[in-house]
Each structure stands twice: as structure tokens, then as C-alpha cells.
Amino acid sequence: MAERRIVVGISGASGAIYGLRCLEMLRVAGVETHLVVSRSGELTLRSECGLGLRDLEGRCDQLHPVGNVGATIASGSFRTLGMIVAPCSIRSLSEIVSGVTSTLLTRAADVVLKERRPLVLMVRESPLHLGHLRTMTAAAEMGAIIAPPMPAFYAGPESIDDLVSHSVGRALDLFGIGSDIKRWRGLGG
């Protein structure tokens, strides 16, 4: 059985809060987190959340420099439950699909796929052109799970925070990690 650890990637797409919330929810669930942030992800974190990389050190168990392709998470022998990229930019998605990985974030995702572990990609782009759709199809055919953050209005969200937590909670469900998000109870329930 793999250790209870997950690799979390934050790429440069808008929605850095998804990666941050993922780290928070995994900590509550008692899951060890290994974080890698793309260079564009650093810019987005600063712009959207007012945070730098140093601010993230206390939010994860291990922060890996994006240029360190010799890190533990770059090897299949480093056992994990899988990886989530939240948010996932089209650039990161494209590198993962092509197998031409230029950073630790995309290398770690490539390793997760080759080891047949869950790779959840919270793709953030809209609208989508045919190239985006084909790249997502190729990722799914390779074993990745495409899980764009979509609002679930049946949960009765009262804030953006509720929407973010629900999307991340549903993504963590894909690893068998539960959270206290509101669940569908059927019509009238």
C-alpha cells in the first residue's frame, strides 16, 4: 500500500486558491503533501492570493523547487497515492500529454501516469478550442482524470469559499480521501 502522501502541483492558470485549499483539506485528512509550483504558478499565487513560495512552506510537508528534476517526486520509486494539479494550465496539460516535461511539476505528473497512479487535473480554461479538447482527450486516454472545478449549486453555496471547497473536495474523492463537503441527497432530500 502506498504511503498516505499526495503530490500537489500549482500551475499558472487562474485559480491558485484551488491548490491552497487542496493543501488545507489534505492536512485535515492527515495526508502528507509534496508541493511543486510552476514559475507561472508563483506569479498567479502572488497576484491572486498575495502569497510567495515562502508563505507555502508551512502549508505543505515538503516544498520542491520546480527546477529540481532530481527531487523524490521525480521518481516512480517514491510511493504516493497520486498527484493533483490544481489549477492545471493548458501549458502544463500539454507538457504532460506530450511527455516532453520541462519542469518538476510536469515530470512528477508524467511519473504518476507511468506508475498507473491517479493523476487529477483541475483544468482551468474557458472557452475551449479543439486543440484543448483533443489534449484533454489524450490525457484521459493516458489515464489522467480531467476534473475542472465546476460549481455544484445543489450544495447551496453561500460564498466563493464554499464553491472552492466543494470542487476540491470532489477532486479529493477521486483519491478516496473524504472531506466534510455537502453531498447530493437526492431531490427533495
Side-chain angles (χ1 to χ4, degrees):
M1 180 96 183
E3 286 78 359
R4 281 186 53 87
R5 65 170 67 121
I6 288 185
V7 178
V8 177
I10 298 177
S11 75
S14 181
I17 188 65
Y18 293 111
L20 296 176
R21 185 61 40 81
C22 188
L23 292 171
E24 292 169 9
M25 293 173 84
L26 287 167
R27 175 157 286 167
V28 168
V31 176
E32 180 182 316
T33 54
H34 288 258
L35 176 63
V36 60
V37 181
S38 73
R39 286 179 182 85
S40 297
E42 287 182 54
L43 296 173
T44 304
L45 272 164
R46 186 161 308 285
S47 172
E48 294 181 353
C49 305
L51 298 173
L53 282 182
R54 289 183 189 225
D55 299 308
L56 302 182
E57 289 175 346
R59 297 175 185 232
C60 62
D61 292 291
Q62 178 80 45
L63 176 61
H64 298 276
V66 72
N68 183 8
V69 293
T72 54
I73 61 174
S75 173
S77 67
F78 185 72
R79 294 170 31 150
T80 68
L81 296 173
M83 180 175 182
I84 183 168
V85 183
C88 182
S89 67
I90 294 297
R91 178 185 176 137
S92 293
L93 170 71
S94 298
E95 281 194 26
I96 294 163
V97 167
S98 72
V100 181
T101 59
S102 65
T103 69
L104 180 59
L105 190 150
T106 53
R107 169 61 185 163
D110 188 62
V111 165
V112 165
L113 282 177
K114 81 177 184 66
E115 296 294 327
R116 309 299 193 264
R117 298 175 187 146
L119 173 62
V120 176
L121 304 174
M122 293 184 79
V123 177
R124 279 278 306 117
E125 187 65 62
S126 180
L128 299 164
H129 63 61
L130 185 57
H132 298 152
L133 295 169
R134 286 184 174 152
T135 304
M136 285 189 269
T137 298
E141 289 171 343
M142 294 168 69
I145 301 166
I146 308 299
M150 299 288 187
F153 294 105
Y154 64 79
E158 296 178 9
S159 66
I160 291 173
D161 190 61
D162 290 345
L163 292 171
V164 169
S165 292
H166 195 271
S167 290
V168 171
R170 291 289 291 128
L172 295 180
D173 282 348
L174 298 168
F175 297 96
I177 297 168
S179 61
D180 64 355
I181 62 171
K182 291 183 182 177
R183 305 282 176 174
W184 175 253
R185 297 190 185 278
L187 293 174

